[in-house]
Amino acid sequence: MKGIKGIVSYDAMETIRNTNEWLGATARALGSYPAFALIPHPAIKVLSAWGRVTERSFSRMVIKPDWEIPPIAGEDGQDHIVYVEPVMRRAFGDLIHFRVARRETSPRKVLLVAPMSGHYATLMRSTVTSLLPDCEVYVTDWHNARDIPVSEGKFDIEDYTSYLVDFIKHLGPDTNVVAVCQPAPLALAATAMLAEEDPGSQPRTLTLIGGPVDPDAAATEVTDFGNRMTMGELEHLAIQSVGFKYRGAGRMVYPGLAQLSSFIAMNAETHARAFIDKIFNEARGTATEGDRHNRFYDEYLAVMDMTAEFYLSTVERIFKNLEIAQNRFTVNGNPVDIGKISDVAIMTVEGSNDDISAPGQCVAALDLCTGVPAEKKQQHLEPGAGHYGIFAGKSWRLNIRPLVLDFIDENMAVPDSIRPKRRRARGGTAADCGASDPVGDSGKIAV
């Protein structure tokens, strides 16, 4: 009975989304009817503009965006095409490689661990693009749970950690892991597992960006919500069964559409203003297909379901029980001792205005790594940057990315000839942290 109820709720959300997409298409068609061109009333143009924006927005919610990585300019003046190639295929996520055609393999091998928190890994498109000129880039490309048959079994944070262990082993010990937001504590755990089970497969460096290693170190809306709700309430309110329309019919998930409503509610006024401005720009004829609004929201509105067991185990074990923060995490019943890490250089990056993983939550990883020498630990607090800005905004491009590349170079033998020629000085100023999207570097993006 619970499963049937969950499917009804899931399909009801999909029906509402589909209806709004249809209403937008209808308004667009009516507002664009040639006969209305004879009626010089602005309401007609606004109706058509509202329809175009609404149809596009609701249709994006069920589409996985393409990577669309632009060609990389080479020093010889030639543009090098980028191909997205799977390296390891798994049921719940693939390891993909961005191969730059006709370019020698870069000695800097970077594994970007993308979050599984409602958005696709393509949310890190700008991060990948910024690293490709100087690195060989790999990314964890997680799958939408609604498309994974129930026969594939469960997927919780222990399975996620095991996936990371397998991916890092496959890439080899010269890998530099960069984990963004949610996977930061699990990337730390995966490194600890390798340190104990297969020391020769450990990554060279581990960079943790804005992740909840110790959620209790600084309170945010996210941590407050997790502490207020009991696990029973969360399961009752958030978990539904995938509807009959998808391959994963019957799988228990935290639906992407439900997550999106939470994301938008955290910064509703800013999002509402962005859409109102977009509609009026469309009505005036000043909007374009590739404008900043479309580039951002085409990605932001594309959401994916996550398995119920992954969502619930993340809340219970990372946020409520603080298993990583207190070094009590286990995988398949085996303790994972973060203190076993000794040969991996570790860096943490936080944003001073991050209200998802506030300053203090990520840097806590350095205290947990008791086996790592002090000279192999670094931390950086970016002034004026919010959650999105520290991995994909202007703050990342101008200040943080150069620091991460310097950190990698300092801990591996990289010839001076291939080091980036232009680097900003460490630190940066708040004035450098301008907006690069409708919500800006200090915007509230729940990743």
Side-chain angles (χ1 to χ4, degrees):
M1 181 63 67
K2 181 179 178 180
I4 296 298
K5 180 182 177 181
I7 289 176
V8 171
S9 301
Y10 189 97
D11 283 344
M13 284 197 307
E14 173 60 18
T15 299
I16 293 171
R17 185 209 63 79
N18 210 334
T19 301
N20 278 282
E21 182 183 350
W22 175 81
L23 288 173
T26 303
R28 173 184 56 78
L30 288 174
S32 303
Y33 195 65
F36 288 144
L38 301 175
I39 306 175
H41 198 286
I44 303 298
K45 290 186 176 180
V46 172
L47 175 66
S48 177
W50 177 86
R52 291 195 297 275
V53 173
T54 300
E55 180 187 18
R56 184 188 187 109
S57 299
F58 281 93
S59 66
R60 298 300 303 182
M61 296 177 186
V62 290
I63 297 174
K64 180 179 180 179
D66 292 328
W67 279 98
E68 297 180 344
I69 303 295
I72 302 301
E75 293 184 358
D76 55 358
Q78 182 184 37
D79 285 345
H80 299 272
I81 304 299
V82 179
Y83 295 95
V84 182
E85 300 178 340
V87 176
M88 289 184 68
R89 292 185 182 274
R90 303 289 291 272
F92 291 89
D94 299 334
L95 175 64
I96 59 176
H97 175 219
F98 295 88
R99 181 173 64 85
V100 181
R102 299 186 306 278
R103 187 186 78 173
E104 292 186 9
T105 302
S106 173
R108 292 191 201 87
K109 185 187 297 182
V110 173
L111 170 60
L112 277 175
V113 183
M116 181 186 280
S117 54
H119 287 101
Y120 292 94
T122 50
L123 189 70
M124 301 178 67
R125 182 186 295 106
S126 62
T127 317
V128 172
T129 303
S130 69
L131 289 172
L132 274 174
D134 302 303
C135 306
E136 209 68 35
V137 181
Y138 297 79
V139 173
T140 57
D141 189 23
W142 306 111
H143 298 166
N144 195 330
R146 74 182 181 204
D147 299 321
I148 305 172
V150 176
S151 59
E152 293 291 350
K154 70 173 182 66
F155 187 80
D156 58 15
I157 59 173
E158 293 189 15
D159 299 306
Y160 187 111
T161 306
S162 297
Y163 268 45
L164 295 186
V165 169
D166 292 343
F167 290 161
I168 296 171
K169 277 186 177 181
H170 180 82
L171 293 178
D174 57 342
T175 303
N176 300 280
V177 176
V178 179
V180 176
C181 189
Q182 165 264 316
L186 302 183
L188 189 64
T191 304
M193 289 176 64
L194 287 170
E196 186 163 10
E197 299 171 6
D198 189 0
S201 297
Q202 294 178 90
R204 188 69 56 86
T205 66
L206 175 62
T207 302
L208 308 177
I209 300 179
V213 176
D214 182 3
D216 271 11
T220 64
E221 289 184 32
V222 176
T223 57
D224 288 345
F225 174 79
N227 290 327
R228 284 198 313 269
M229 303 288 288
T230 67
M231 294 308 300
E233 289 173 328
L234 277 178
E235 185 172 2
H236 177 74
L237 294 174
I239 304 305
Q240 299 177 10
S241 300
V242 176
F244 296 110
K245 180 179 177 181
Y246 300 103
R247 292 182 64 217
R251 177 178 289 281
M252 304 301 290
V253 298
Y254 180 22
L257 292 178
Q259 297 173 64
L260 181 62
S261 64
S262 299
F263 297 161
I264 292 177
M266 292 181 67
N267 205 18
E269 184 177 348
T270 300
H271 288 295
R273 173 52 53 191
F275 276 95
I276 291 172
D277 291 344
K278 174 65 175 176
I279 291 170
F280 280 106
N281 287 338
E282 286 277 352
R284 297 187 191 101
T286 58
T288 62
E289 175 69 19
D291 61 21
R292 190 171 64 176
H293 179 98
N294 284 348
R295 290 198 311 272
F296 178 76
Y297 281 103
D298 281 355
E299 186 70 49
Y300 187 66
L301 297 176
V303 288
M304 58 182 284
D305 300 350
M306 74 174 78
T307 64
E309 56 271 18
F310 179 82
Y311 172 69
L312 294 175
S313 61
T314 297
V315 173
E316 182 174 22
R317 300 181 63 179
I318 302 298
F319 286 88
K320 285 183 175 292
N321 296 345
L322 302 174
E323 291 187 18
I324 294 291
Q326 298 176 4
N327 201 16
R328 297 185 293 105
F329 189 64
T330 60
V331 174
N332 298 324
N334 299 315
V336 177
D337 185 1
I338 298 173
K340 295 287 186 180
I341 303 174
S342 59
D343 300 325
V344 181
I346 297 178
M347 178 181 185
T348 63
V349 177
E350 298 177 320
S352 63
N353 292 346
D354 190 342
D355 55 1
I356 303 300
S357 293
Q361 292 189 17
C362 192
V363 74
L366 300 183
D367 290 334
L368 289 171
C369 296
T370 55
V372 179
E375 61 271 16
K376 282 195 153 190
K377 297 179 182 179
Q378 289 189 27
Q379 58 178 296
H380 175 71
L381 178 65
E382 180 67 18
H387 192 68
Y388 188 74
I390 57 177
F391 72 90
K394 191 173 182 180
S395 296
W396 161 262
R397 294 193 306 271
L398 297 183
N399 299 334
I400 299 170
R401 172 188 168 275
L403 294 180
V404 171
L405 291 180
D406 281 341
F407 176 67
I408 291 174
D409 292 350
E410 289 165 4
N411 290 280
M412 63 183 296
V414 177
D416 291 338
S417 60
I418 65 99
R419 293 176 185 265
K421 296 179 180 179
R422 297 183 62 187
R423 296 285 181 84
R424 287 183 60 89
R426 293 177 182 267
T429 64
D432 292 325
C433 306
S436 60
D437 50 72
V439 252
D441 276 1
S442 59
K444 301 179 180 180
I445 306 296
V447 178

